[in-house]
Amino acid sequence: MSVQNLIISALRMIPRGLVRKMAGDPITVDGYVMDPTIQILSNLRDKNAAGATMPETMAEIRAAGNAFDAIAMPRRRGVKISDVELPLKTATLKARIYEPRHASTTDPAILFFHQGGLVIMHHLTDDWFCALLADICRAKVITLDYRLCPENEFPAAIEDGLALWDYVHEQAEPLGIDKRRIALAGDSAGGLIASVMCQVLRDKARAADDKPQKIAQPAAQLLIYPWVSTRIEETGSMQSCAEMFPLTRATMEMFNANVFPNDKNIDHDWANPLHNENLQKLPPAIIATAGFDPVRDQGNEYAEALAAVGNQVTHYCFGKLSHSFLCLARVSNPVQKACEQLARDLAAHLGR
């Protein structure tokens, strides 16, 4: 284990006063003060970046994105995992299924989609959080290794998500899932996938109103620091957090260049759920944003827009935290508390 990893492992046990001294002068943005443990990670990032060669190939970019794997929180005990390949309509894709203690034949389910700008990371990036959801929600959680860009053209990932929705409904009985209690969840780009799926499934249901078989709807949507607009503007959090750990404006521009080459599909409805003119009659939403995050404002705006047209919304802005905080529970007590709160809120929507 490297010296840096030893420091990271010890951060939660070090007295807060000493952690603050290690972090240095507090980082403040828009009235928020960064959690000092996250600030230490930010400092380490800056130290490692000094004089380093920036990743250029897609393999190098993805390897850098997987750096969070090394500091992941150990998975909760008692949660059973199964690594499978699912024969979806779009492709045969890897997935991990998490089962809670005392799983039954009629558990609720959560379909989870990972972060990474639709370009990097993988279905195990948020492994600890998925296990947490399974435990607290007493639900089966399925996280999908959806197809990434640029190898696959947008909106391949969303098509995979919709195919997973269909598959889980078709296989609900052998999977031991209650079809009436299936929620969608995701962070960052995974929040994009989950939010768009809610809109698409609502529209399908409206189109099928006169048909005998109803289109099933999600029981809830959990969107964590969601990416819900392709617009990169010189205002608000996009400007004030442009150089923030771990998501920078430059990284967002790299994502856009790979997902929307030459701006192809950049204005696609499925890339911009925030700008949908009809946000009514969507599933209950739990939306979490972070103070130190370029996409903070668009997530806040989406929460406000959903609530303004009568949707049930629970909205948190965790001011001390940064983008990708689901990966930081090992070092930050505020992250763990935030994650547990989000899991409890989702559990309530699933009747748990």
Side-chain angles (χ1 to χ4, degrees), residues 28-296:
T28 61
V29 164
D30 301 334
Y32 299 111
V33 181
M34 183 179 283
D35 174 31
T37 54
I38 296 178
Q39 183 174 338
I40 289 173
L41 294 182
S42 177
N43 294 343
L44 289 173
R45 188 242 358 218
D46 293 342
K47 180 180 178 181
N48 290 338
T53 302
M54 294 300 292
E56 295 181 359
T57 69
M58 186 52 62
E60 291 172 339
I61 291 169
R62 287 177 175 155
N66 290 340
F68 280 120
D69 295 352
I71 62 168
M73 184 87 153
R75 194 183 312 118
R76 280 200 170 193
R77 294 180 180 179
V79 175
K80 177 184 174 183
I81 62 167
S82 302
D83 290 316
V84 299
E85 290 192 350
L86 301 180
L88 306 182
K89 296 173 183 175
T90 52
T92 297
L93 298 173
K94 294 178 182 178
R96 175 168 285 183
I97 302 175
Y98 303 77
E99 295 188 28
R101 296 180 179 90
H102 314 300
S104 74
T105 58
T106 55
D107 287 321
I110 302 163
L111 310 187
F112 186 89
F113 304 96
H114 68 82
Q115 59 183 299
L118 304 180
V119 174
I120 63 174
M121 298 181 167
H122 51 84
H123 64 305
L124 305 184
T125 295
D126 297 309
D127 181 62
W128 173 79
F129 185 69
C130 288
L132 180 79
L133 288 177
D135 191 30
I136 292 180
C137 298
R138 287 179 287 144
K140 293 184 173 79
V141 178
I142 303 175
T143 178
L144 183 68
D145 199 22
Y146 57 78
R147 292 173 294 161
L148 298 176
C149 300
E151 294 88 345
N152 302 280
E153 186 173 306
F154 181 87
I158 298 171
E159 292 169 346
D160 291 341
L162 291 166
L164 177 63
W165 175 265
D166 290 342
Y167 177 86
V168 169
H169 279 79
E170 292 163 2
Q171 301 296 320
E173 186 173 349
L175 289 170
I177 287 172
D178 179 356
K179 291 192 287 188
R180 299 166 299 176
R181 294 186 293 163
I182 302 178
L184 300 177
D187 63 332
S188 194
L192 170 73
I193 295 170
S195 61
V196 170
M197 286 176 63
C198 288
Q199 294 184 7
V200 171
L201 291 167
R202 179 218 41 200
D203 293 345
K204 285 185 176 181
R206 293 177 63 193
D209 274 347
D210 58 345
K211 297 180 181 178
Q213 187 172 0
K214 299 294 184 181
I215 304 296
Q217 297 296 295
Q221 53 181 321
L222 170 59
L223 313 178
I224 304 171
Y225 38 86
W227 174 36
V228 287
S229 171
T230 58
R231 297 176 187 173
I232 299 178
E233 300 172 334
E234 295 283 355
T235 59
S237 63
M238 196 67 69
Q239 182 179 44
S240 62
C241 298
E243 300 300 325
M244 204 57 63
F245 167 84
L247 180 65
T248 65
R249 180 190 179 97
T251 301
M252 295 189 66
E253 290 172 344
M254 180 274 291
F255 289 153
N256 273 3
N258 283 281
V259 178
F260 312 109
N262 300 314
D263 287 345
K264 182 179 180 181
N265 290 323
I266 199 166
D267 294 320
H268 196 293
D269 290 345
W270 288 10
N272 295 278
L274 172 61
H275 307 303
N276 191 327
E277 294 181 358
N278 180 11
L279 295 177
Q280 295 178 325
K281 297 183 178 180
L282 289 167
I286 304 160
I287 299 179
T289 54
F292 294 84
D293 186 357
V295 298
R296 179 190 70 221

